[in-house]
PDB file of all heavy atoms in Angstrom:
ATOM      1  N   LEU A   2      92.508 -26.686  14.083  1.00 98.00           N
ATOM      2  CA  LEU A   2      91.071 -26.841  13.989  1.00 98.00           C
ATOM      3  C   LEU A   2      90.693 -28.150  13.320  1.00 98.00           C
ATOM      4  O   LEU A   2      91.317 -28.596  12.393  1.00 98.00           O
ATOM      5  CB  LEU A   2      90.426 -25.746  13.213  1.00 98.00           C
ATOM      6  CG  LEU A   2      90.027 -24.455  13.937  1.00 98.00           C
ATOM      7  CD1 LEU A   2      91.221 -23.521  13.936  1.00 98.00           C
ATOM      8  CD2 LEU A   2      88.918 -23.782  13.134  1.00 98.00           C
ATOM      9  N   LEU A   3      89.536 -28.729  13.742  1.00 98.00           N
ATOM     10  CA  LEU A   3      88.896 -29.868  13.042  1.00 98.00           C
ATOM     11  C   LEU A   3      87.640 -29.296  12.377  1.00 98.00           C
ATOM     12  O   LEU A   3      86.799 -28.797  13.089  1.00 98.00           O
ATOM     13  CB  LEU A   3      88.591 -30.971  13.992  1.00 98.00           C
ATOM     14  CG  LEU A   3      87.742 -32.075  13.390  1.00 98.00           C
ATOM     15  CD1 LEU A   3      88.522 -32.887  12.361  1.00 98.00           C
ATOM     16  CD2 LEU A   3      87.207 -33.055  14.486  1.00 98.00           C
ATOM     17  N   ALA A   4      87.574 -29.375  11.058  1.00 98.00           N
ATOM     18  CA  ALA A   4      86.440 -28.896  10.338  1.00 98.00           C
ATOM     19  C   ALA A   4      85.579 -29.930   9.690  1.00 98.00           C
ATOM     20  O   ALA A   4      86.107 -30.987   9.322  1.00 98.00           O
ATOM     21  CB  ALA A   4      86.877 -27.916   9.207  1.00 98.00           C
ATOM     22  N   ILE A   5      84.264 -29.713   9.709  1.00 98.00           N
ATOM     23  CA  ILE A   5      83.310 -30.675   9.118  1.00 98.00           C
ATOM     24  C   ILE A   5      82.495 -29.989   8.089  1.00 98.00           C
ATOM     25  O   ILE A   5      81.938 -28.870   8.250  1.00 98.00           O
ATOM     26  CB  ILE A   5      82.365 -31.242  10.216  1.00 98.00           C
ATOM     27  CG1 ILE A   5      83.192 -31.884  11.317  1.00 98.00           C
ATOM     28  CG2 ILE A   5      81.363 -32.189   9.650  1.00 98.00           C
ATOM     29  CD1 ILE A   5      82.338 -32.240  12.590  1.00 98.00           C
ATOM     30  N   GLU A   6      82.336 -30.669   6.919  1.00 98.00           N
ATOM     31  CA  GLU A   6      81.456 -30.048   5.854  1.00 98.00           C
ATOM     32  C   GLU A   6      80.460 -31.212   5.420  1.00 98.00           C
ATOM     33  O   GLU A   6      80.825 -32.333   5.150  1.00 98.00           O
ATOM     34  CB  GLU A   6      82.348 -29.657   4.673  1.00 98.00           C
ATOM     35  CG  GLU A   6      81.721 -29.771   3.239  1.00 98.00           C
ATOM     36  CD  GLU A   6      80.570 -28.769   2.994  1.00 98.00           C
ATOM     37  OE1 GLU A   6      80.641 -27.649   3.518  1.00 98.00           O
ATOM     38  OE2 GLU A   6      79.646 -29.128   2.282  1.00 98.00           O
ATOM     39  N   SER A   7      79.160 -30.799   5.401  1.00 98.00           N
ATOM     40  CA  SER A   7      78.167 -31.815   5.042  1.00 98.00           C
ATOM     41  C   SER A   7      76.977 -31.130   4.391  1.00 98.00           C
ATOM     42  O   SER A   7      75.795 -31.493   4.596  1.00 98.00           O
ATOM     43  CB  SER A   7      77.685 -32.623   6.228  1.00 98.00           C
ATOM     44  OG  SER A   7      76.941 -31.773   7.094  1.00 98.00           O
ATOM     45  N   SER A   8      77.182 -30.034   3.599  1.00 95.00           N
ATOM     46  CA  SER A   8      76.077 -29.243   3.160  1.00 95.00           C
ATOM     47  C   SER A   8      75.213 -29.913   2.058  1.00 95.00           C
ATOM     48  O   SER A   8      74.063 -29.620   1.906  1.00 95.00           O
ATOM     49  CB  SER A   8      76.517 -27.876   2.721  1.00 95.00           C
ATOM     50  OG  SER A   8      77.332 -27.946   1.652  1.00 95.00           O
ATOM     51  N   SER A  13      82.732 -34.494   4.557  1.00 98.00           N
ATOM     52  CA  SER A  13      84.153 -34.198   4.594  1.00 98.00           C
ATOM     53  C   SER A  13      84.580 -33.723   5.964  1.00 98.00           C
ATOM     54  O   SER A  13      83.880 -33.065   6.706  1.00 98.00           O
ATOM     55  CB  SER A  13      84.499 -33.183   3.479  1.00 98.00           C
ATOM     56  OG  SER A  13      85.865 -32.853   3.535  1.00 98.00           O
ATOM     57  N   ILE A  52      79.969 -40.039   8.849  1.00 98.00           N
ATOM     58  CA  ILE A  52      80.555 -38.835   9.398  1.00 98.00           C
ATOM     59  C   ILE A  52      81.591 -39.248  10.467  1.00 98.00           C
ATOM     60  O   ILE A  52      82.760 -38.675  10.534  1.00 98.00           O
ATOM     61  CB  ILE A  52      79.542 -37.840   9.944  1.00 98.00           C
ATOM     62  CG1 ILE A  52      80.302 -36.551  10.181  1.00 98.00           C
ATOM     63  CG2 ILE A  52      78.791 -38.316  11.078  1.00 98.00           C
ATOM     64  CD1 ILE A  52      79.322 -35.367  10.229  1.00 98.00           C
ATOM     65  N   ILE A  56      85.717 -38.393  10.189  1.00 98.00           N
ATOM     66  CA  ILE A  56      86.362 -37.539  11.187  1.00 98.00           C
ATOM     67  C   ILE A  56      87.574 -38.242  11.769  1.00 98.00           C
ATOM     68  O   ILE A  56      88.681 -37.696  11.883  1.00 98.00           O
ATOM     69  CB  ILE A  56      85.352 -37.148  12.299  1.00 98.00           C
ATOM     70  CG1 ILE A  56      84.393 -36.094  11.723  1.00 98.00           C
ATOM     71  CG2 ILE A  56      86.120 -36.545  13.532  1.00 98.00           C
ATOM     72  CD1 ILE A  56      83.252 -35.693  12.649  1.00 98.00           C
ATOM     73  N   ALA A  72      89.826 -25.965  18.335  1.00 98.00           N
ATOM     74  CA  ALA A  72      88.451 -25.525  18.009  1.00 98.00           C
ATOM     75  C   ALA A  72      87.885 -26.398  16.866  1.00 98.00           C
ATOM     76  O   ALA A  72      88.646 -27.038  16.144  1.00 98.00           O
ATOM     77  CB  ALA A  72      88.437 -24.050  17.553  1.00 98.00           C
ATOM     78  N   LEU A  73      86.555 -26.406  16.801  1.00 98.00           N
ATOM     79  CA  LEU A  73      85.840 -27.128  15.735  1.00 98.00           C
ATOM     80  C   LEU A  73      85.261 -26.106  14.771  1.00 98.00           C
ATOM     81  O   LEU A  73      85.081 -24.943  15.144  1.00 98.00           O
ATOM     82  CB  LEU A  73      84.725 -27.938  16.354  1.00 98.00           C
ATOM     83  CG  LEU A  73      85.208 -29.001  17.329  1.00 98.00           C
ATOM     84  CD1 LEU A  73      84.015 -29.443  18.237  1.00 98.00           C
ATOM     85  CD2 LEU A  73      85.781 -30.251  16.619  1.00 98.00           C
ATOM     86  N   ALA A  74      84.992 -26.573  13.529  1.00 98.00           N
ATOM     87  CA  ALA A  74      84.318 -25.658  12.588  1.00 98.00           C
ATOM     88  C   ALA A  74      83.293 -26.558  11.862  1.00 98.00           C
ATOM     89  O   ALA A  74      83.596 -27.732  11.549  1.00 98.00           O
ATOM     90  CB  ALA A  74      85.302 -25.083  11.600  1.00 98.00           C
ATOM     91  N   VAL A  75      82.110 -26.024  11.578  1.00 98.00           N
ATOM     92  CA  VAL A  75      81.096 -26.755  10.793  1.00 98.00           C
ATOM     93  C   VAL A  75      80.473 -25.778   9.804  1.00 98.00           C
ATOM     94  O   VAL A  75      80.386 -24.605   9.994  1.00 98.00           O
ATOM     95  CB  VAL A  75      79.960 -27.287  11.695  1.00 98.00           C
ATOM     96  CG1 VAL A  75      80.470 -28.413  12.601  1.00 98.00           C
ATOM     97  CG2 VAL A  75      79.277 -26.253  12.479  1.00 98.00           C
ATOM     98  N   THR A  76      80.038 -26.386   8.667  1.00 97.00           N
ATOM     99  CA  THR A  76      79.236 -25.621   7.679  1.00 97.00           C
ATOM    100  C   THR A  76      77.859 -25.451   8.284  1.00 97.00           C
ATOM    101  O   THR A  76      77.155 -26.432   8.586  1.00 97.00           O
ATOM    102  CB  THR A  76      79.118 -26.332   6.350  1.00 97.00           C
ATOM    103  OG1 THR A  76      80.496 -26.595   5.859  1.00 97.00           O
ATOM    104  CG2 THR A  76      78.413 -25.465   5.294  1.00 97.00           C
ATOM    105  N   SER A  77      77.367 -24.192   8.381  1.00 96.00           N
ATOM    106  CA  SER A  77      75.983 -24.014   8.942  1.00 96.00           C
ATOM    107  C   SER A  77      75.009 -23.553   7.873  1.00 96.00           C
ATOM    108  O   SER A  77      73.806 -23.605   8.072  1.00 96.00           O
ATOM    109  CB  SER A  77      76.057 -23.003  10.081  1.00 96.00           C
ATOM    110  OG  SER A  77      76.553 -21.772   9.613  1.00 96.00           O
ATOM    111  N   GLU A  78      75.466 -23.033   6.771  1.00 93.00           N
ATOM    112  CA  GLU A  78      74.638 -22.553   5.595  1.00 93.00           C
ATOM    113  C   GLU A  78      75.483 -22.243   4.371  1.00 93.00           C
ATOM    114  O   GLU A  78      76.693 -22.085   4.550  1.00 93.00           O
ATOM    115  CB  GLU A  78      73.833 -21.317   6.100  1.00 93.00           C
ATOM    116  CG  GLU A  78      74.746 -20.156   6.326  1.00 93.00           C
ATOM    117  CD  GLU A  78      74.042 -18.872   6.676  1.00 93.00           C
ATOM    118  OE1 GLU A  78      72.812 -18.760   6.475  1.00 93.00           O
ATOM    119  OE2 GLU A  78      74.724 -17.984   7.164  1.00 93.00           O
ATOM    120  N   LEU A  85      72.917 -30.411   6.437  1.00 97.00           N
ATOM    121  CA  LEU A  85      73.564 -29.510   7.359  1.00 97.00           C
ATOM    122  C   LEU A  85      73.452 -29.894   8.762  1.00 97.00           C
ATOM    123  O   LEU A  85      74.345 -29.729   9.579  1.00 97.00           O
ATOM    124  CB  LEU A  85      73.041 -28.030   7.087  1.00 97.00           C
ATOM    125  CG  LEU A  85      73.437 -27.411   5.805  1.00 97.00           C
ATOM    126  CD1 LEU A  85      72.466 -26.167   5.569  1.00 97.00           C
ATOM    127  CD2 LEU A  85      74.857 -26.940   5.818  1.00 97.00           C
ATOM    128  N   VAL A  86      72.259 -30.362   9.110  1.00 97.00           N
ATOM    129  CA  VAL A  86      71.957 -30.713  10.465  1.00 97.00           C
ATOM    130  C   VAL A  86      72.914 -31.834  10.976  1.00 97.00           C
ATOM    131  O   VAL A  86      73.367 -31.802  12.092  1.00 97.00           O
ATOM    132  CB  VAL A  86      70.449 -31.167  10.621  1.00 97.00           C
ATOM    133  CG1 VAL A  86      70.248 -31.956  11.948  1.00 97.00           C
ATOM    134  CG2 VAL A  86      69.522 -29.963  10.578  1.00 97.00           C
ATOM    135  N   VAL A  87      73.184 -32.774  10.143  1.00 98.00           N
ATOM    136  CA  VAL A  87      74.006 -33.878  10.530  1.00 98.00           C
ATOM    137  C   VAL A  87      75.403 -33.359  10.924  1.00 98.00           C
ATOM    138  O   VAL A  87      75.883 -33.637  12.043  1.00 98.00           O
ATOM    139  CB  VAL A  87      74.153 -34.910   9.411  1.00 98.00           C
ATOM    140  CG1 VAL A  87      75.084 -36.042   9.845  1.00 98.00           C
ATOM    141  CG2 VAL A  87      72.782 -35.584   9.109  1.00 98.00           C
ATOM    142  N   GLY A  88      76.018 -32.623  10.062  1.00 98.00           N
ATOM    143  CA  GLY A  88      77.406 -32.125  10.361  1.00 98.00           C
ATOM    144  C   GLY A  88      77.433 -31.161  11.479  1.00 98.00           C
ATOM    145  O   GLY A  88      78.265 -31.233  12.373  1.00 98.00           O
ATOM    146  N   SER A  89      76.451 -30.235  11.570  1.00 97.00           N
ATOM    147  CA  SER A  89      76.548 -29.202  12.667  1.00 97.00           C
ATOM    148  C   SER A  89      76.146 -29.878  13.973  1.00 97.00           C
ATOM    149  O   SER A  89      76.831 -29.543  14.983  1.00 97.00           O
ATOM    150  CB  SER A  89      75.670 -27.996  12.310  1.00 97.00           C
ATOM    151  OG  SER A  89      74.391 -28.184  12.734  1.00 97.00           O
ATOM    152  N   ASN A  90      75.217 -30.753  14.012  1.00 97.00           N
ATOM    153  CA  ASN A  90      74.886 -31.407  15.258  1.00 97.00           C
ATOM    154  C   ASN A  90      76.018 -32.380  15.753  1.00 97.00           C
ATOM    155  O   ASN A  90      76.297 -32.471  16.948  1.00 97.00           O
ATOM    156  CB  ASN A  90      73.536 -32.111  15.212  1.00 97.00           C
ATOM    157  CG  ASN A  90      72.414 -31.140  15.446  1.00 97.00           C
ATOM    158  OD1 ASN A  90      72.643 -29.917  15.397  1.00 97.00           O
ATOM    159  ND2 ASN A  90      71.197 -31.605  15.638  1.00 97.00           N
ATOM    160  N   PHE A  91      76.593 -33.018  14.835  1.00 98.00           N
ATOM    161  CA  PHE A  91      77.805 -33.846  15.190  1.00 98.00           C
ATOM    162  C   PHE A  91      78.832 -33.016  15.761  1.00 98.00           C
ATOM    163  O   PHE A  91      79.471 -33.371  16.805  1.00 98.00           O
ATOM    164  CB  PHE A  91      78.272 -34.621  13.931  1.00 98.00           C
ATOM    165  CG  PHE A  91      78.975 -35.960  14.315  1.00 98.00           C
ATOM    166  CD1 PHE A  91      78.298 -37.114  14.295  1.00 98.00           C
ATOM    167  CD2 PHE A  91      80.312 -35.930  14.699  1.00 98.00           C
ATOM    168  CE1 PHE A  91      78.922 -38.331  14.611  1.00 98.00           C
ATOM    169  CE2 PHE A  91      80.995 -37.113  15.028  1.00 98.00           C
ATOM    170  CZ  PHE A  91      80.292 -38.273  15.041  1.00 98.00           C
ATOM    171  N   GLY A  92      79.107 -31.824  15.197  1.00 98.00           N
ATOM    172  CA  GLY A  92      80.129 -30.892  15.670  1.00 98.00           C
ATOM    173  C   GLY A  92      79.761 -30.444  17.046  1.00 98.00           C
ATOM    174  O   GLY A  92      80.600 -30.356  17.968  1.00 98.00           O
ATOM    175  N   LYS A  93      78.462 -30.092  17.240  1.00 98.00           N
ATOM    176  CA  LYS A  93      78.065 -29.615  18.594  1.00 98.00           C
ATOM    177  C   LYS A  93      78.281 -30.704  19.690  1.00 98.00           C
ATOM    178  O   LYS A  93      78.656 -30.412  20.828  1.00 98.00           O
ATOM    179  CB  LYS A  93      76.549 -29.190  18.547  1.00 98.00           C
ATOM    180  CG  LYS A  93      76.318 -27.855  17.803  1.00 98.00           C
ATOM    181  CD  LYS A  93      74.859 -27.515  17.818  1.00 98.00           C
ATOM    182  CE  LYS A  93      74.648 -26.190  17.016  1.00 98.00           C
ATOM    183  NZ  LYS A  93      73.307 -25.778  16.983  1.00 98.00           N
ATOM    184  N   GLY A  94      78.009 -31.960  19.216  1.00 98.00           N
ATOM    185  CA  GLY A  94      78.224 -33.080  20.211  1.00 98.00           C
ATOM    186  C   GLY A  94      79.695 -33.182  20.548  1.00 98.00           C
ATOM    187  O   GLY A  94      80.084 -33.282  21.761  1.00 98.00           O
ATOM    188  N   LEU A  95      80.538 -33.021  19.596  1.00 98.00           N
ATOM    189  CA  LEU A  95      81.981 -33.063  19.874  1.00 98.00           C
ATOM    190  C   LEU A  95      82.417 -31.866  20.724  1.00 98.00           C
ATOM    191  O   LEU A  95      83.311 -32.017  21.649  1.00 98.00           O
ATOM    192  CB  LEU A  95      82.793 -33.045  18.555  1.00 98.00           C
ATOM    193  CG  LEU A  95      82.647 -34.287  17.653  1.00 98.00           C
ATOM    194  CD1 LEU A  95      83.405 -34.083  16.341  1.00 98.00           C
ATOM    195  CD2 LEU A  95      83.223 -35.520  18.373  1.00 98.00           C
ATOM    196  N   ALA A  96      81.780 -30.691  20.466  1.00 98.00           N
ATOM    197  CA  ALA A  96      82.094 -29.523  21.238  1.00 98.00           C
ATOM    198  C   ALA A  96      81.812 -29.732  22.714  1.00 98.00           C
ATOM    199  O   ALA A  96      82.588 -29.357  23.624  1.00 98.00           O
ATOM    200  CB  ALA A  96      81.354 -28.340  20.663  1.00 98.00           C
ATOM    201  N   PRO A 102      85.420 -24.855  21.573  1.00 98.00           N
ATOM    202  CA  PRO A 102      84.619 -23.813  20.888  1.00 98.00           C
ATOM    203  C   PRO A 102      84.269 -24.357  19.412  1.00 98.00           C
ATOM    204  O   PRO A 102      84.952 -25.218  18.907  1.00 98.00           O
ATOM    205  CB  PRO A 102      85.529 -22.639  20.678  1.00 98.00           C
ATOM    206  CG  PRO A 102      86.898 -23.056  21.071  1.00 98.00           C
ATOM    207  CD  PRO A 102      86.819 -24.393  21.766  1.00 98.00           C
ATOM    208  N   ILE A 103      83.239 -23.799  18.815  1.00 98.00           N
ATOM    209  CA  ILE A 103      82.840 -24.238  17.488  1.00 98.00           C
ATOM    210  C   ILE A 103      82.454 -23.041  16.630  1.00 98.00           C
ATOM    211  O   ILE A 103      81.658 -22.216  17.030  1.00 98.00           O
ATOM    212  CB  ILE A 103      81.703 -25.323  17.637  1.00 98.00           C
ATOM    213  CG1 ILE A 103      81.257 -25.823  16.246  1.00 98.00           C
ATOM    214  CG2 ILE A 103      80.474 -24.786  18.402  1.00 98.00           C
ATOM    215  CD1 ILE A 103      80.393 -27.087  16.297  1.00 98.00           C
ATOM    216  N   VAL A 104      83.056 -23.012  15.463  1.00 98.00           N
ATOM    217  CA  VAL A 104      82.848 -21.855  14.535  1.00 98.00           C
ATOM    218  C   VAL A 104      81.872 -22.303  13.449  1.00 98.00           C
ATOM    219  O   VAL A 104      82.183 -23.171  12.650  1.00 98.00           O
ATOM    220  CB  VAL A 104      84.174 -21.483  13.887  1.00 98.00           C
ATOM    221  CG1 VAL A 104      84.093 -20.214  13.062  1.00 98.00           C
ATOM    222  CG2 VAL A 104      85.252 -21.342  14.955  1.00 98.00           C
ATOM    223  N   PRO A 105      80.720 -21.637  13.357  1.00 97.00           N
ATOM    224  CA  PRO A 105      79.804 -21.930  12.203  1.00 97.00           C
ATOM    225  C   PRO A 105      80.283 -21.158  10.995  1.00 97.00           C
ATOM    226  O   PRO A 105      80.665 -20.008  11.052  1.00 97.00           O
ATOM    227  CB  PRO A 105      78.426 -21.396  12.681  1.00 97.00           C
ATOM    228  CG  PRO A 105      78.806 -20.426  13.728  1.00 97.00           C
ATOM    229  CD  PRO A 105      80.148 -20.688  14.287  1.00 97.00           C
ATOM    230  N   VAL A 106      80.289 -21.848   9.822  1.00 96.00           N
ATOM    231  CA  VAL A 106      80.866 -21.195   8.582  1.00 96.00           C
ATOM    232  C   VAL A 106      79.868 -21.258   7.497  1.00 96.00           C
ATOM    233  O   VAL A 106      79.203 -22.281   7.283  1.00 96.00           O
ATOM    234  CB  VAL A 106      82.174 -21.950   8.209  1.00 96.00           C
ATOM    235  CG1 VAL A 106      82.663 -21.415   6.845  1.00 96.00           C
ATOM    236  CG2 VAL A 106      83.280 -21.785   9.196  1.00 96.00           C
ATOM    237  N   ASN A 107      79.839 -20.147   6.729  1.00 94.00           N
ATOM    238  CA  ASN A 107      79.007 -20.142   5.506  1.00 94.00           C
ATOM    239  C   ASN A 107      79.797 -20.886   4.442  1.00 94.00           C
ATOM    240  O   ASN A 107      80.956 -20.588   4.111  1.00 94.00           O
ATOM    241  CB  ASN A 107      78.768 -18.662   5.171  1.00 94.00           C
ATOM    242  CG  ASN A 107      77.953 -18.491   3.895  1.00 94.00           C
ATOM    243  OD1 ASN A 107      78.418 -18.824   2.783  1.00 94.00           O
ATOM    244  ND2 ASN A 107      76.795 -17.942   4.023  1.00 94.00           N
ATOM    245  N   HIS A 108      79.100 -21.801   3.758  1.00 95.00           N
ATOM    246  CA  HIS A 108      79.746 -22.652   2.782  1.00 95.00           C
ATOM    247  C   HIS A 108      80.292 -21.829   1.561  1.00 95.00           C
ATOM    248  O   HIS A 108      81.417 -22.110   1.097  1.00 95.00           O
ATOM    249  CB  HIS A 108      78.612 -23.610   2.228  1.00 95.00           C
ATOM    250  CG  HIS A 108      79.102 -24.535   1.150  1.00 95.00           C
ATOM    251  ND1 HIS A 108      79.749 -25.749   1.447  1.00 95.00           N
ATOM    252  CD2 HIS A 108      78.988 -24.438  -0.213  1.00 95.00           C
ATOM    253  CE1 HIS A 108      79.987 -26.364   0.248  1.00 95.00           C
ATOM    254  NE2 HIS A 108      79.569 -25.599  -0.737  1.00 95.00           N
ATOM    255  N   ALA A 302      86.037 -30.041   3.480  1.00 98.00           N
ATOM    256  CA  ALA A 302      86.142 -29.430   4.787  1.00 98.00           C
ATOM    257  C   ALA A 302      87.359 -28.502   4.967  1.00 98.00           C
ATOM    258  O   ALA A 302      87.367 -27.669   5.796  1.00 98.00           O
ATOM    259  CB  ALA A 302      86.150 -30.438   5.871  1.00 98.00           C
ATOM    260  N   ILE A 305      86.477 -24.938   4.655  1.00 98.00           N
ATOM    261  CA  ILE A 305      85.675 -24.518   5.858  1.00 98.00           C
ATOM    262  C   ILE A 305      86.602 -24.239   6.966  1.00 98.00           C
ATOM    263  O   ILE A 305      86.504 -23.252   7.674  1.00 98.00           O
ATOM    264  CB  ILE A 305      84.621 -25.625   6.220  1.00 98.00           C
ATOM    265  CG1 ILE A 305      83.685 -25.994   5.016  1.00 98.00           C
ATOM    266  CG2 ILE A 305      83.846 -25.277   7.452  1.00 98.00           C
ATOM    267  CD1 ILE A 305      82.944 -24.783   4.495  1.00 98.00           C
ATOM    268  N   GLY A 306      87.552 -25.155   7.223  1.00 98.00           N
ATOM    269  CA  GLY A 306      88.555 -25.009   8.319  1.00 98.00           C
ATOM    270  C   GLY A 306      89.416 -23.745   8.082  1.00 98.00           C
ATOM    271  O   GLY A 306      89.782 -23.057   9.027  1.00 98.00           O
ATOM    272  N   ILE A 308      88.857 -20.811   6.527  1.00 97.00           N
ATOM    273  CA  ILE A 308      88.235 -19.518   6.873  1.00 97.00           C
ATOM    274  C   ILE A 308      87.870 -19.509   8.374  1.00 97.00           C
ATOM    275  O   ILE A 308      87.955 -18.482   9.038  1.00 97.00           O
ATOM    276  CB  ILE A 308      87.126 -19.079   5.920  1.00 97.00           C
ATOM    277  CG1 ILE A 308      86.707 -17.673   6.153  1.00 97.00           C
ATOM    278  CG2 ILE A 308      85.972 -20.028   5.963  1.00 97.00           C
ATOM    279  CD1 ILE A 308      87.700 -16.598   5.845  1.00 97.00           C
ATOM    280  N   ALA A 309      87.481 -20.672   8.925  1.00 98.00           N
ATOM    281  CA  ALA A 309      87.135 -20.722  10.290  1.00 98.00           C
ATOM    282  C   ALA A 309      88.311 -20.402  11.206  1.00 98.00           C
ATOM    283  O   ALA A 309      88.130 -19.741  12.195  1.00 98.00           O
ATOM    284  CB  ALA A 309      86.667 -22.173  10.674  1.00 98.00           C
ATOM    285  N   PHE A 325      73.808 -21.520  17.547  1.00 90.00           N
ATOM    286  CA  PHE A 325      73.649 -21.204  16.133  1.00 90.00           C
ATOM    287  C   PHE A 325      72.819 -22.325  15.501  1.00 90.00           C
ATOM    288  O   PHE A 325      72.732 -23.415  15.914  1.00 90.00           O
ATOM    289  CB  PHE A 325      74.999 -21.034  15.392  1.00 90.00           C
ATOM    290  CG  PHE A 325      75.788 -22.315  15.310  1.00 90.00           C
ATOM    291  CD1 PHE A 325      75.572 -23.191  14.271  1.00 90.00           C
ATOM    292  CD2 PHE A 325      76.754 -22.645  16.298  1.00 90.00           C
ATOM    293  CE1 PHE A 325      76.396 -24.378  14.147  1.00 90.00           C
ATOM    294  CE2 PHE A 325      77.487 -23.816  16.177  1.00 90.00           C
ATOM    295  CZ  PHE A 325      77.290 -24.671  15.165  1.00 90.00           C
ATOM    296  N   THR A 326      72.074 -21.892  14.393  1.00 90.00           N
ATOM    297  CA  THR A 326      71.218 -22.830  13.695  1.00 90.00           C
ATOM    298  C   THR A 326      71.706 -23.014  12.302  1.00 90.00           C
ATOM    299  O   THR A 326      72.561 -22.248  11.808  1.00 90.00           O
ATOM    300  CB  THR A 326      69.774 -22.273  13.639  1.00 90.00           C
ATOM    301  OG1 THR A 326      69.821 -20.974  13.134  1.00 90.00           O
ATOM    302  CG2 THR A 326      69.141 -22.292  15.029  1.00 90.00           C
ATOM    303  N   VAL A 327      71.157 -24.010  11.569  1.00 91.00           N
ATOM    304  CA  VAL A 327      71.471 -24.189  10.127  1.00 91.00           C
ATOM    305  C   VAL A 327      70.417 -23.497   9.300  1.00 91.00           C
ATOM    306  O   VAL A 327      69.344 -23.279   9.853  1.00 91.00           O
ATOM    307  CB  VAL A 327      71.643 -25.679   9.807  1.00 91.00           C
ATOM    308  CG1 VAL A 327      72.770 -26.339  10.547  1.00 91.00           C
ATOM    309  CG2 VAL A 327      70.323 -26.406   9.922  1.00 91.00           C
TER     310      VAL A 327
END
Side-chain angles (χ1 to χ4, degrees):
L2 271 86
L3 171 68
I5 300 170
E6 151 68 34
S7 70
S8 64
S13 178
I52 195 161
I56 289 171
L73 299 159
V75 292
T76 304
S77 59
E78 63 177 346
L85 289 165
V86 162
V87 175
S89 87
N90 279 10
F91 206 95
K93 286 179 183 179
L95 293 174
I103 181 165
V104 185
V106 174
N107 179 293
H108 179 84
I305 302 302
I308 190 65
F325 67 87
T326 53
V327 299

